[in-house]
Amino acid sequence: MTASIGGICGFATAPSGNYDAGALDTNTWTNDFAFKLNCTVPSRVAVVSSNGGLLTPAAPGAPGYTNKAPYTVTLKLQGSSTSAMANCPAADLSPTAANPCSFRGASSSTQGLRLDDTSINVDGSYLRVNAPAYSGADALINGNYTDTLTVTVSASP
């Protein structure tokens, strides 16, 4: 008789929270959303941005104005003895990005940033969002800007 037990992989503590970046046109901002993996095998973590940037629902109106501000997403995975890290613009994490980020999408055994290590409740993993003060060619319109990032994890033996 033979038997086996497959690896488990999930979040010990999932990334969650909100962050107020303040005035996008005058503030440089950054925030880390810490999380812990619970993976007894190598894993992959992937991210999707619902808006591909910070978006306000108000229409830009006149030429020379925009309702979307860019920012960068950094994903760091900390394992028991190794780590993995990558970053990309939020625009490349949108579901319809023309040039998708390497860790965009729903995680699977082949999709997402790969951690070639176990990570059982290890500190040090985070999702970082940041941007310099907005200085794009088009002016930002007045409004509240938001985005939602969805983070998934799966085993990648």
Side-chain angles (χ1 to χ4, degrees):
M1 174 178 180
T2 61
S4 65
I5 297 174
I8 60 165
C9 194
F11 288 111
T13 306
S16 67
N18 295 301
Y19 177 71
D20 184 348
L24 299 176
D25 58 344
T26 58
N27 290 336
T28 295
W29 57 274
T30 188
N31 190 67
D32 291 353
F33 297 95
F35 62 93
K36 294 180 183 180
L37 296 172
N38 183 28
C39 297
T40 61
V41 295
S43 58
R44 288 190 184 264
V45 176
V47 180
V48 174
S49 164
S50 62
N51 298 324
L54 291 168
L55 182 71
T56 188
Y65 292 88
T66 185
N67 63 345
K68 188 184 284 188
Y71 68 96
T72 300
V73 176
T74 301
L75 180 60
K76 180 176 185 239
L77 307 178
Q78 184 60 54
S80 299
S81 60
T82 64
S83 63
M85 190 160 86
N87 64 62
C88 62
D92 294 346
L93 291 169
S94 75
T96 59
N99 298 306
C101 176
S102 63
F103 60 85
R104 180 199 76 181
S107 64
S108 70
S109 61
T110 59
Q111 180 60 40
L113 180 62
R114 188 166 199 273
L115 179 61
D116 294 326
D117 196 0
T118 62
S119 185
I120 303 170
N121 209 24
V122 176
D123 288 323
S125 294
Y126 60 80
L127 182 75
R128 174 175 292 156
V129 293
N130 69 294
Y134 178 79
S135 62
D138 295 332
L140 293 172
I141 62 171
N142 189 27
N144 291 320
Y145 288 74
T146 63
D147 194 16
T148 300
L149 297 174
T150 303
V151 184
T152 55
V153 62
S154 64
S156 183

